[in-house]
Amino acid sequence: MRSEKIIILLVVVSFSVSGLLAWYLFGRNDAPPRPNLTRANITNEAKRSPALAGQATPPDANTRIPSPAPISGGKAISITASSQKGRVLYYNPETGIVTETDFNGSNSVVISPIKLPGFLRTIWSPNKSEVISEFVSSRFRYFNYITKQSVNLGSGVRSIVFSPDGSQIAYFLKNSEGGGIYLASPDNQESKKILNTRFSKVQLLWPGKDLLSLVAHDEQTDRESLFTLTLGGRLTKILDNLSHIETVWSREGENVIISFFDEHDALQTVRYTVATGESRKLDTESRASQCMWTAAAQVVLCAVSQTPMSSAALENKSKIAQDMYEIDPKLGTKKLLFSSGSGGSKIQIAELLLSPAEDYLIFTNVFDERLYSFKR
């Protein structure tokens, strides 16, 4: 309770200056926040609602808990469900070669044998026929697997995301003239700026049809703020002056898991429903980037660290074993799906994917960088 009171005090102090800070960093695009979507409401709701206090459903003593199985022969990155049922696509981070395999690891096929020098990662379009890849030298490059069109998007692009239907992209561009958020066609042949910003680092997500999510980093304070942005340029502040903010949105952008480190370097995780303003603090050692909503947004699957996670451990990329839980935020219950190192490999989630039928968890493992599969 004492820690929650301190969090609320922090909210009151920082929120008093946040309006001026947002006006300065985003110019005149800032709009008044929606009543149900503010930092104060999130934390106050979390205080009023009961925390998910580790009410895990214990497995039957005679039931063997299955372990995830590796399904890639080598390292994997940039995973996505294939357009072919029951299959997953991934890149090799060392070569850029693309492979497709069944969820159980069988019938692996090389989709693209072309090696990509300086390859870092890829962002897949929803239709899987277009990608935007990040490289060491030329930064972001668009490629269409059907037409073979390739477009260098320039060195000023820092963050980029496809729209939910794949018809557009949004990106954060930083150059000598300042920064801005742009909407464009996937090949960037048509673009328009929807927001000016003085931030030097912005991470973008596109959770809803007409809604973007921004985590902006202030280099002077080394703190982060969370905003939503409509395609018309209406900016709304959710949280500010926090450390390592992460989000994972439900499919239609109606619910969001938010995680951040508080002033005591404790990891806080909150589930928030946009329409109702309902919020619940999840008392689990979970980063939002290591969680995944089911389609109905009633259950969330989260990796929970076996030892406490600190911001220093995150920054230093420390390897911490994790267990995977199925969590019902409304009921305040959680069920163990698998435990790291229990009869199998040590697990720490890097990328997490839930199959379209929601019967498989597919993920990459920090410990060995391979692709793993788990049947729910």
Side-chain angles (χ1 to χ4, degrees):
M1 180 65 69
R2 181 175 179 272
S3 63
E4 290 188 346
K5 289 181 178 179
I6 294 175
I7 293 174
I8 298 302
L9 178 61
L10 173 66
V11 170
V12 173
V13 173
S14 62
F15 200 73
S16 63
V17 299
S18 61
L20 179 62
L21 178 64
W23 181 88
Y24 171 74
L25 292 171
F26 281 109
R28 299 181 183 273
N29 299 87
D30 191 29
R34 284 177 287 176
N36 285 338
L37 202 57
T38 67
R39 174 180 180 173
N41 278 0
I42 288 177
T43 50
N44 284 332
E45 288 288 345
K47 181 181 177 182
R48 287 196 294 266
S49 64
L52 181 60
Q55 301 163 351
T57 302
D60 189 287
N62 298 319
T63 301
R64 177 181 174 274
I65 298 177
S67 298
I71 60 172
S72 66
K75 297 179 180 180
I77 196 173
S78 302
I79 63 176
T80 188
S82 170
S83 56
Q84 302 296 315
K85 183 178 179 181
R87 294 175 67 77
V88 60
L89 293 159
Y90 64 92
Y91 280 74
N92 183 308
E94 297 174 336
T95 64
I97 291 175
V98 185
T99 301
E100 183 183 62
T101 186
D102 288 343
F103 291 154
N104 61 10
S106 61
N107 302 314
S108 294
V109 177
V110 173
I111 299 298
S112 175
I114 300 174
K115 294 185 177 182
L116 305 174
F119 172 81
L120 293 176
R121 68 186 180 102
T122 281
I123 303 162
W124 292 89
S125 70
N127 60 22
K128 317 303 179 185
S129 63
E130 298 169 288
V131 296
I132 295 175
S133 298
E134 186 176 7
F135 294 84
V136 173
S137 56
S138 58
R139 298 294 289 173
F140 290 99
R141 187 186 305 161
Y142 166 84
F143 182 73
N144 188 310
Y145 277 102
I146 297 176
T147 66
K148 309 304 180 184
Q149 181 188 19
S150 179
V151 179
N152 191 331
L153 300 182
S155 59
V157 176
R158 306 288 180 85
S159 178
I160 194 164
V161 64
F162 278 98
S163 64
D165 65 359
S167 64
Q168 290 181 288
I169 59 173
Y171 58 83
F172 167 62
L173 178 68
K174 182 71 174 180
N175 54 31
S176 59
E177 299 177 358
I181 307 297
Y182 291 78
L183 296 179
S185 56
D187 59 5
N188 202 30
Q189 298 304 301
E190 299 179 4
S191 66
K192 67 175 181 178
K193 182 189 288 188
I194 62 172
L195 184 72
N196 291 307
T197 175
R198 296 180 179 90
F199 280 113
S200 60
K201 183 179 179 181
V202 173
Q203 284 298 120
L204 288 171
L205 292 175
W206 200 323
K209 179 181 178 181
D210 300 313
L211 189 70
L212 293 167
S213 170
L214 293 70
V215 174
H217 181 262
D218 185 345
E219 289 187 339
Q220 293 184 342
T221 63
D222 196 29
R223 308 292 277 180
E224 293 178 336
S225 301
L226 173 63
F227 300 84
T228 57
L229 176 67
T230 66
L231 303 192
R234 180 181 175 84
L235 187 71
T236 302
K237 186 189 309 94
I238 301 177
L239 297 169
D240 66 351
N241 197 34
L242 293 169
S243 172
H244 298 289
I245 296 175
E246 295 182 353
T247 62
V248 59
W249 292 80
S250 61
R251 184 172 298 179
E252 301 298 328
E254 298 172 348
N255 297 273
V256 59
I257 297 291
I258 308 170
S259 66
F260 56 88
F261 287 91
D262 64 19
E263 74 278 15
H264 300 294
D265 204 32
L267 181 59
Q268 303 289 338
T269 312
V270 175
R271 191 275 277 138
Y272 187 80
T273 301
V274 175
T276 64
E278 179 188 3
S279 179
R280 181 182 293 268
K281 179 181 176 182
L282 304 184
D283 190 17
T284 61
E285 195 74 15
S286 298
R287 293 167 49 199
S289 63
Q290 297 173 332
C291 294
M292 180 67 65
W293 287 99
T294 58
Q298 295 178 344
V299 172
V300 61
L301 309 172
C302 282
V304 180
S305 298
Q306 293 180 351
T307 56
M309 168 69 74
S310 66
S311 59
L314 179 60
E315 292 164 2
N316 295 329
K317 299 182 179 180
S318 301
K319 295 180 180 179
I320 300 176
Q322 296 176 321
D323 303 327
M324 181 61 67
Y325 284 89
E326 182 177 295
I327 300 172
D328 188 321
K330 290 187 177 180
L331 297 180
T333 59
K334 61 181 181 180
K335 172 186 175 183
L336 178 66
L337 296 180
F338 63 79
S339 182
S340 178
S342 179
S345 303
K346 278 191 174 182
I347 299 295
Q348 182 182 1
I349 302 297
E351 297 178 65
L352 182 62
L353 171 70
L354 182 62
S355 66
E358 302 187 351
D359 53 347
Y360 278 90
L361 271 176
I362 311 294
F363 61 89
T364 52
N365 184 6
V366 172
F367 281 94
D368 60 10
E369 300 181 62
R370 297 174 67 187
L371 186 66
Y372 281 72
S373 173
F374 177 80
K375 182 96 165 59
R376 289 180 67 194

